[in-house]
Amino acid sequence: MGLAERDPDTGGGEGAEAPAAAAHDRAAVIHAGVAVLSWLHRRWVLFVYGLLAGLSLLAAALWLKVDTDPSRMISPDLSFRRDYQRLIAAFPQLDNAMILLVEGQDPKAVRTTAEALTESFKARPDLFSHVLAPALSPMFSDYGPLYLSLPALERLTAQLAQAAPMLRLLAERPDMEGMTRLLGGMLRQKPSALAGSDGLRRLFTAMSEAVRTVQEGRARPMDWTALGGIEGREEPRRIFILVKPRLDFSRLDPAAEAMAEARRIIADPEARDGRGVRVWLTGEAAMNAEEFSTITRGAIIAGVLSFLIVSGVVLLGLPSRRLLIAVITLIIIGFALNAGFATLSVGSLNMISVAFAVLFIGLGVDYAVHFLLRWAEEARMPPNDEPRPLARAAAATGPALAMSALTTVLAFLAFWPTDFVGMTQLGIIAAGGIVIAYVGTLTLVAAVLGLLPRSSRLVAPRKEGRISRWRHLLPAKAAWRIRQAVTLLVLLLAAGSIVFLPKVRFDGDPVNLKDPAAPSVRAYAVLLQEEPRLVQAVSALASGREEAEKLARLLKDLPEVGEVITALSFLPERQTDKLALLRALARQLPDSVRPRQEDIGHKRRIAALRQMIGLLARMERLEAYAPDLRKAAGALRQRLEAFLQRKGKDKKAVAALEAAWFVRLPELINGLQRLVRTGPLTVENMDPALKRWYIAEDGRWRVEAAPARRLSTDAEMRAFALAVRRVAPQAAGAPVEITGAASVVSRAMIAAMLLALGGVIVVVGIMTRSALAVVLALAPILLAAILLLAYTVIFDAPFNFANVIVLPLLLGLGVDSSIHYLHRAREAASGSAVLDTSTPRAIIISALTTMGSFGTLWLTPHRGLSSMGELLTVAIALMLLCTLVVMPQLIDWAVRWKKA
């Protein structure tokens, strides 16, 4: 009793067998007729295929685009996607922006570098539409004292009030004699009058530094802001520059020109002031551009390696080297047709669908391998005059190839009903490639066989194939026991793997798909660690100021939110009290520096310097003064004595020292006057460039909410996004996008897997009319799927946007091997007899070509494609084990059970 037999308990009897056999016979005749016609008209077939391949490549070169925007892989009709588009419509500079991180230990060098970079980017409006460095806004310098805390401003105004007499004296006499009078007046005061001021010590230090620069021949004007700490805000050691590049989506790489110019600007030595300043370039646009480069480079390398590996495996697996010509012809022409199909069907490739080339190379040869091995098997059996072996091979393998193609196409198209647009595109292209490979096997491969010279090696009778020779190295009973033991072990492992299923997770962060060695990704990691607010904040739109203030208050009350930023966040607090302090100081400060009526001349300058040295020596000796002040006075005295000794006769050097001391004094006095006469800062008079990032042209406000802590896990990011959207339902930003897309893709993966499973069950059930055949076909796949899910947990290889196609594809590909095996088992009327045919060999070669092809993706630096290659390779290996070891044992058990 063979496997083909039926009984009522297993899904059918003679009535079910007859229609299935009749349908199979009709399908066999059709496939045989197509192959024979292609063989008879082989030159015309090759001409038509060559013409179509050329037209396909031309269309792909002219119209096939690559879309590097990962956000477009999700349907734009989803609510969170529409919310993001509304935000971008109001604030377009937020979309595909770049972030420059300028940092160093010297704040002045950092600021100078950031200013130079900002000006360089602004000088290219053709490539960059928005450039903003918030820390460099003139608003912070013009209104600097208002940003101090009230106690800090009180200390500042007290220091300035104490320094006011000195400033008035110097404003009246801005020369060395005026400085001497200043020191003499201080010595006439009680030491306690200077006890609370640090300004004089700073002044001495700044004067000493100016003397040193003049003595070294590189005079540098003295910084008078040191007199009382009047610079206000402390200079930051890290400055961010936000840049919006102009992307040209008509080009293969939309950001190529902008990225090249950005790298040139950053590398320009004129943009840096001093050593130790580092400039990092990251942000969505920068990472997408580098990801495009990584993917295209990796896809090309993977495609070439796939072709070589597949060719090598086929060359070793086929009984004749000449048959490799048919396989390579199918790969080359089929790939060209698949590229043309991609151009006509979807029009563009995304970050995932660029892998279609590797998929076609890995999967396209499977049908040709089964067909060619069966043809070689038939060619050894009389009558073997052409085209009889070809017709018998097509009739024998054609129905199984058709069923395999149909189930694989269904698996690829399983994402079509979902909102995962990116994977849908890959599924459409790959499904087209499967149809091309199936049709090409029966037509193009048959035509090439007609042009190849007949090989005596192909038709020479053989007692046994390689598979059976290796099989008979062990006694039949020992081989059966080993197979049974392995099967039981796989079943036990699958049962134990069930405990890992609840821990299977989906990683929805697209940054985790990118090459971690890429400069922009490394910079993003630094940014995420140091300033997560810049990349993990969400934004909500408000109709105006009142609504924005109300929304900000609600968001601040959330424990998940650490900071809420609106345009009002850039306005100083308690401005009325601070302005009153500055108004009181205005009456004590000089209005301006009096222009000098005459040049005092070299002799008077030398006399003033010597007198100054004496005054400093007296101050240095008086213990009533603070130690720091005495030390600073001594250092200045020593510097002046050394200067007079070396440069005292050099009139130009002495005049340069006076200029270095006083040339920036008018700048100080004018700055102080602006400071004390500062008016209130309001939304209306704030920096327009900064204002535009928070208030749209139509008057809508942007309310930005940053997380209370860095979001390092999917659960934390989801909790933050949900909390914010409960208060602001239309909030958008990276956490909302990432968690929303992750939910979409997770649902899409489950839906696609169920659709693929349902499609496979229906197709196999209709074509075999046997419930037992359906169970046997699906058993190896389900076992491999359970083991694969456990693998993702044990080896921390979570599902992501790129590799979610693995499970539906495993169903489609896995059932192919099952179908071929079952088809041959029904033909041989025994499960074990299949091992003496070419079918196991074809299954092994097909699996090895698929693993070799997908394995090249595993080697690519792009972690998304690499994870796809990893899981597909592991899945195919598990499927091969379950098909060639577990399935024969299940068939034997099924036959024994039916006989019992």
Side-chain angles (χ1 to χ4, degrees):
M1 187 175 185
L3 183 66
E5 297 179 58
R6 302 285 183 271
D7 64 29
D9 295 332
T10 58
E14 293 298 328
E17 178 76 15
H24 179 275
D25 292 341
R26 288 194 297 271
V29 170
I30 293 173
H31 284 87
V34 170
V36 170
L37 284 175
S38 300
W39 184 86
L40 293 173
H41 304 285
R42 45 194 173 271
R43 288 181 173 82
W44 277 106
V45 171
L46 289 173
F47 172 76
V48 172
Y49 267 103
L51 179 62
L52 292 176
L55 293 175
S56 296
L57 288 177
L58 179 62
L62 292 177
W63 298 301
L64 187 61
K65 306 296 181 183
V66 176
D67 186 355
T68 59
D69 187 353
S71 65
R72 298 187 182 181
M73 292 195 293
I74 304 296
S75 172
D77 298 327
L78 297 169
S79 61
F80 71 93
R81 294 295 303 142
R82 290 197 301 268
D83 295 336
Y84 181 76
Q85 292 305 320
R86 277 192 290 267
L87 176 65
I88 295 306
F91 298 93
Q93 64 269 36
L94 299 177
D95 188 37
N96 276 313
M98 296 191 303
I99 302 175
L100 272 76
L101 172 60
V102 185
E103 61 180 4
Q105 293 301 315
D106 185 356
K108 292 184 178 179
V110 170
R111 183 178 186 88
T112 303
T113 301
E115 288 174 344
L117 291 172
T118 301
E119 292 304 317
S120 298
F121 278 103
K122 287 182 177 180
R124 293 301 307 269
D126 57 319
L127 294 177
F128 308 104
S129 59
H130 296 80
V131 181
L132 176 69
L136 301 181
S137 173
M139 182 177 72
F140 296 121
S141 57
D142 294 342
Y143 297 89
L146 295 180
Y147 286 97
L148 296 173
S149 66
L150 189 58
L153 184 59
E154 289 173 345
R155 290 192 298 269
L156 173 62
T157 53
Q159 291 173 351
L160 289 174
Q162 195 168 29
M166 293 187 294
L167 294 175
R168 287 199 301 270
L169 179 59
L170 293 176
E172 288 291 327
R173 194 67 187 268
D175 54 27
M176 288 185 175
E177 288 184 342
M179 184 64 72
T180 302
R181 291 179 184 178
L182 173 64
L183 291 178
M186 289 180 179
L187 284 170
R188 288 192 293 270
Q189 295 180 11
K190 292 181 179 180
S192 59
L194 299 176
S197 174
D198 194 41
L200 188 58
R201 180 192 61 80
R202 296 187 181 188
L203 176 61
F204 287 165
T205 303
M207 291 173 65
S208 180
E209 177 65 17
V211 175
R212 185 183 65 82
T213 61
V214 173
Q215 188 171 335
E216 293 175 354
R218 50 182 187 87
R220 179 178 295 179
M222 189 177 77
D223 183 8
W224 279 89
T225 59
L227 183 60
I230 61 174
E231 62 271 14
R233 305 176 76 225
E234 181 180 354
E235 290 286 352
R237 289 185 170 86
R238 181 186 294 120
I239 294 178
F240 303 99
I241 305 175
L242 307 175
V243 180
K244 166 69 173 176
R246 297 187 186 274
L247 304 182
D248 184 5
F249 288 101
S250 64
R251 300 182 56 175
L252 189 61
D253 185 359
E257 191 173 357
M259 281 294 295
E261 180 64 11
R263 293 190 182 104
R264 186 199 67 77
I265 292 174
I266 293 173
D268 186 357
E270 295 184 2
R272 297 174 183 266
D273 179 34
R275 299 179 180 179
V277 178
R278 294 186 302 174
V279 181
W280 303 81
L281 176 62
T282 186
E284 188 178 6
M287 288 193 292
N288 287 348
E290 288 186 350
E291 183 178 25
F292 169 79
S293 176
T294 301
I295 285 181
T296 52
R297 185 173 66 252
I300 292 173
I301 295 174
V304 173
L305 288 177
S306 296
F307 180 80
L308 295 177
I309 293 174
V310 168
S311 300
V313 172
V314 173
L315 180 63
L316 294 175
L318 292 178
S320 173
R321 296 178 181 177
R322 293 176 179 176
L323 296 182
L324 182 62
I325 298 175
V327 175
I328 293 178
T329 302
L330 177 63
I331 292 176
I332 295 175
I333 293 181
F335 170 74
L337 294 176
N338 201 192
F341 174 77
T343 305
L344 296 177
S345 59
V346 298
S348 65
L349 303 178
N350 56 49
M351 297 296 192
I352 299 175
S353 58
V354 292
F356 85 92
V358 176
L359 287 178
F360 180 82
I361 294 173
L363 303 178
V365 299
D366 291 357
Y367 304 99
V369 167
H370 282 278
F371 179 71
L372 289 172
L373 284 176
R374 187 58 182 262
W375 175 76
E377 183 180 336
E378 295 293 338
R380 301 187 191 104
M381 302 177 183
N384 56 9
D385 53 311
E386 294 291 1
R388 290 178 186 271
L390 183 71
R392 294 199 299 267
T397 60
L401 292 177
M403 190 188 305
S404 299
L406 182 56
T407 54
T408 306
V409 166
L410 289 176
F412 275 122
L413 296 181
F415 281 95
W416 200 340
T418 70
D419 294 313
F420 194 6
V421 178
M423 194 58 72
T424 298
Q425 290 183 355
L426 176 61
I428 293 173
I429 298 171
I434 293 298
V435 174
I436 291 170
Y438 162 67
V439 175
T441 297
L442 297 173
T443 55
L444 180 61
V445 172
V448 173
L449 285 177
L451 295 176
L452 293 178
R454 296 201 61 187
S455 172
S456 59
R457 183 183 177 191
L458 289 179
V459 297
R462 294 185 179 185
K463 291 178 63 179
E464 293 176 321
R466 295 180 184 176
I467 296 293
S468 59
R469 286 210 309 271
W470 283 102
R471 174 172 171 256
H472 290 305
L473 288 177
L474 290 174
K477 192 171 184 179
W480 180 84
R481 286 179 176 176
I482 292 174
R483 189 180 67 193
Q484 188 177 47
V486 172
T487 301
L488 291 173
L489 177 62
V490 170
L491 293 174
L492 288 174
L493 288 175
S497 297
I498 295 177
V499 300
F500 293 104
L501 299 187
K503 299 179 182 179
V504 175
R505 67 185 182 91
F506 179 86
D507 184 1
D509 192 345
V511 178
N512 293 337
L513 302 184
K514 306 179 191 298
D515 179 9
S520 63
V521 179
R522 295 203 311 269
Y524 179 86
V526 174
L527 201 64
L528 188 61
Q529 183 70 29
E530 302 293 337
E531 297 288 342
R533 179 184 65 82
L534 285 176
V535 293
Q536 292 190 329
V538 297
S539 298
L541 292 177
S543 59
R545 176 170 179 168
E546 183 178 348
E547 184 180 343
E549 290 182 294
K550 179 181 178 181
L551 184 58
R553 287 193 298 270
L554 293 174
L555 290 172
K556 286 179 181 178
D557 292 337
L558 296 176
E560 295 85 357
V561 175
E563 184 181 14
V564 179
I565 302 172
T566 67
L568 299 175
S569 303
F570 297 94
L571 302 183
E573 298 178 348
R574 303 187 64 177
Q575 292 193 58
T576 303
D577 296 335
K578 294 175 182 178
L579 289 172
L581 288 173
L582 295 175
R583 294 288 185 270
L585 179 64
R587 295 187 295 269
Q588 305 177 50
L589 296 174
D591 293 332
S592 62
V593 176
R594 181 179 179 183
R596 289 190 301 181
Q597 301 297 323
E598 59 177 351
D599 188 348
I600 63 175
H602 181 66
K603 291 183 179 180
R604 292 172 64 180
R605 288 192 184 99
I606 294 297
L609 285 176
R610 287 177 176 154
Q611 186 179 358
M612 194 182 306
I613 291 173
L615 293 172
L616 290 170
R618 287 176 56 191
M619 187 175 291
E620 185 181 3
R621 290 192 299 269
L622 290 176
E623 296 183 0
Y625 290 110
D628 289 346
L629 180 59
R630 293 167 56 197
K631 183 178 180 181
L636 178 58
R637 175 188 58 78
Q638 293 174 5
R639 186 78 71 182
L640 287 175
E641 288 175 345
F643 176 79
L644 284 178
Q645 185 178 359
R646 297 181 184 180
K647 300 286 186 178
K649 296 181 180 181
D650 188 345
K651 296 180 181 180
K652 291 184 178 179
V654 176
L657 176 59
E658 184 178 65
W661 277 351
F662 296 102
V663 69
R664 293 186 64 179
L665 181 60
E667 177 184 331
L668 169 70
I669 301 301
N670 294 334
L672 289 174
Q673 287 298 324
R674 287 196 305 271
L675 183 151
V676 296
R677 288 176 171 79
T678 297
L681 178 60
T682 64
V683 173
E684 287 70 25
N685 62 3
M686 70 183 296
D687 182 5
L690 182 59
K691 179 180 176 180
R692 181 63 185 87
W693 284 76
Y694 289 91
I695 301 179
E697 293 180 353
D698 59 6
R700 285 183 293 174
W701 284 46
R702 181 167 71 94
V703 181
E704 187 179 53
R709 63 188 62 85
R710 183 166 65 93
L711 307 176
S712 54
T713 66
D714 295 338
E716 291 175 350
M717 188 171 294
R718 188 176 301 278
F720 172 69
L722 290 175
V724 172
R725 281 175 70 89
R726 278 196 295 267
V727 174
Q730 294 184 348
V736 176
E737 290 283 295
I738 291 172
T739 55
S743 298
V744 169
V745 175
S746 299
R747 292 195 300 268
M749 181 176 68
I750 296 173
M753 187 170 60
L754 294 176
L755 286 173
L757 179 62
V760 166
I761 292 175
V762 170
V763 170
V764 175
I766 291 177
M767 300 187 76
T768 62
R769 308 293 178 91
S770 168
L772 179 60
V774 173
V775 172
L776 291 174
L778 291 180
I781 306 168
L782 296 179
L783 290 173
I786 293 173
L787 293 174
L788 178 65
L789 292 174
Y791 173 91
T792 65
V793 176
I794 296 172
F795 294 95
D796 192 24
F799 288 101
N800 54 50
F801 289 101
N803 62 27
V804 291
I805 198 172
V806 171
L807 285 179
L809 188 57
L810 177 62
L811 287 171
L813 294 179
V815 79
D816 289 357
S817 300
S818 299
I819 288 171
H820 287 294
Y821 198 98
L822 285 172
H823 184 79
R824 198 61 186 267
R826 291 166 64 93
E827 182 181 327
S830 170
S832 300
V834 178
L835 298 177
D836 293 324
T837 69
S838 63
T839 297
R841 183 179 183 179
I843 292 174
I844 292 175
I845 294 174
S846 298
L848 290 178
T849 56
T850 306
M851 290 170 62
S853 179
F854 293 150
T856 60
L857 288 176
W858 196 346
L859 302 177
T860 60
H862 185 266
R863 288 193 287 188
L865 293 181
S866 178
S867 66
M868 180 193 293
E870 176 186 1
L871 291 192
L872 283 173
T873 302
V874 173
I876 299 301
L878 293 173
M879 181 270 296
L880 182 63
L881 171 68
C882 292
T883 300
L884 292 184
V885 178
V886 177
M887 175 178 275
Q889 186 61 48
L890 295 179
I891 292 176
D892 281 355
W893 284 343
V895 171
R896 292 172 183 270
W897 174 74
K898 290 185 65 176
K899 286 182 178 180

